[in-house]
């Protein structure tokens, strides 16, 4: 089982959107998927209630229980665990960073959101997550213009973090899908938002393959 943690220090950066979108995309790929909702706001849990379906499973969980719950999911045959966290650097973020194979950090391309990356960088260092397995994902980038490219340069140069080669744009499908407990891949399967999630999911798959190669050779 692979574990993907979605971290971020800013509220509303897109953590739950990314967590649910990747989970559904993996379900569409016949994977057995569980989302662990560590956010007391319970956004992923509420999304699942609106969804009214069994897949992906969404498990509400506190940080101190995470390791045990992940173990249980693994024993139960899950292929992928996705951890959605609150927008704070505290116990939940720390436990998730520690246990994850891959870390994704959605950020909006604004100066204030980018400033918040320094603390996250420290957290990744503490838990030994190298840039090969941690990606900043620029989210809600304006469709017009180059703002995402400018943000990429700032993040890479000032924070020395790796920016995912794919970014997510500001698209109504992301927000509208969530109203009915869906994701863009279901709400508008042939739309651009779905294509962006496809690309992000491919990045997760290739990163997972690299992890396996490292284990084999290491
Ligand atoms: N790429 C996008 N395009 C359009 N709307 C988006 C996009 N990403 C997120 N949103 C919307 O922005 C809002 C915040 O997103 P989301 O809840 O995923 O953020 P979050 O980081 O989980 O927030 P919190 O810190 O409160 O948990 C939601 O209404 C969501 O639908
Ligand atoms: Mg959230």
């Amino acid at each position: 089982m692979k574990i993907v943690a979605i971290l971020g220090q800013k509220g509303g950066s897109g953590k739950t959107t990314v967590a649910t979108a990747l989970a559904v995309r993996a379900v569409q790929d016949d994977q057995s998927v569980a989302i662990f909702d560590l956010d007391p706001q319970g956004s992923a849990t509420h999304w699942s209630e609106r969804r009214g379906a069994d897949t992906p499973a969404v498990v509400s969980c506190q940080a101190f229980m995470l390791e045990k719950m992940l173990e249980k999911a693994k024993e139960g045959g899950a292929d992928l665990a996705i951890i959605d966290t609150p927008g704070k650097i505290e116990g939940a973020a720390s436990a998730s960073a520690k246990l994850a194979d891959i870390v994704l950090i959605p950020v909006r391309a604004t100066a204030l959101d980018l400033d918040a990356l320094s603390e996250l960088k420290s957290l990744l260092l503490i838990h030994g997550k190298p840039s090969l397995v941690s990606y900043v994902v620029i989210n809600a980038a304006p469709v017009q213009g180059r703002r995402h490219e400018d943000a990429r340069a700032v993040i890479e140069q000032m924070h020395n973090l790796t920016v995912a080669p794919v970014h997510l744009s500001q698209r109504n499908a992301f927000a509208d899908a969530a109203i009915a407990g869906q994701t863009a891949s279901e709400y508008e399967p042939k739309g651009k938002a779905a294509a962006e999630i496809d690309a992000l999911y491919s990045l997760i798959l290739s990163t997972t393959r690299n992890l396996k190669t490292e284990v084999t050779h290491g």
Side-chain angles (χ1 to χ4, degrees):
M1 182 182 81
K2 288 288 169 276
I3 302 170
V4 179
I6 319 289
L7 300 184
Q9 207 184 344
K10 293 293 284 187
S13 62
K15 296 177 292 298
T16 304
T17 302
V18 169
T20 51
L22 282 177
V24 166
R25 183 61 188 80
V27 167
Q28 290 173 336
D29 193 25
D30 291 330
Q31 302 292 295
S32 167
V33 187
I35 297 177
F36 290 84
D37 184 1
L38 263 64
D39 186 351
Q41 283 189 112
S43 306
T45 305
H46 297 317
W47 169 84
S48 177
E49 286 163 3
R50 293 197 297 279
R51 181 174 181 79
D54 294 341
T55 56
V58 178
V59 183
S60 176
C61 174
Q62 284 181 274
F64 76 97
M65 286 294 291
L66 182 62
E67 190 162 9
K68 249 197 192 132
M69 301 286 260
L70 286 169
E71 200 51 49
K72 241 176 136 180
K74 189 177 169 185
E75 283 165 11
D79 302 303
L80 178 66
I82 298 181
I83 310 171
D84 187 21
T85 66
K88 289 188 201 108
I89 300 290
E90 47 163 37
S94 191
S96 307
K98 180 175 158 210
L99 296 166
D101 299 303
I102 299 171
V103 174
L104 298 183
I105 305 161
V107 296
R108 289 178 185 253
T110 68
L112 289 178
D113 286 45
L114 300 187
D115 282 347
L117 283 171
S118 305
E119 243 188 289
L120 262 168
K121 171 81 187 175
S122 309
L123 187 77
L124 297 179
L125 285 174
I126 290 168
H127 295 294
K129 302 294 156 184
S131 53
L132 266 180
V133 294
S134 357
Y135 297 101
V136 175
V137 179
I138 295 171
N139 181 34
V143 175
Q144 305 277 341
R146 293 179 30 88
R147 188 176 283 251
H148 59 281
E149 286 305 334
D150 298 342
R152 172 187 301 277
V154 171
I155 296 163
E156 289 183 340
Q157 284 159 27
M158 288 180 55
H159 298 282
N160 200 19
L161 285 159
T162 305
V163 179
V166 291
H167 71 273
L168 307 179
S169 306
Q170 172 75 37
R171 298 191 190 280
N172 291 342
F174 284 115
D176 293 348
I179 295 166
Q182 291 189 321
T183 68
S185 310
E186 298 167 309
Y187 184 76
E188 224 177 74
K190 297 207 183 311
K192 289 180 178 165
E196 290 175 347
I197 291 303
D198 276 353
L200 190 59
Y201 182 62
S202 296
L203 177 69
I204 297 292
L205 292 182
S206 63
T207 306
T208 304
R209 274 195 295 274
N210 290 344
L211 282 173
K212 279 193 193 138
T213 317
E214 263 178 48
V215 170
T216 315
H217 293 295

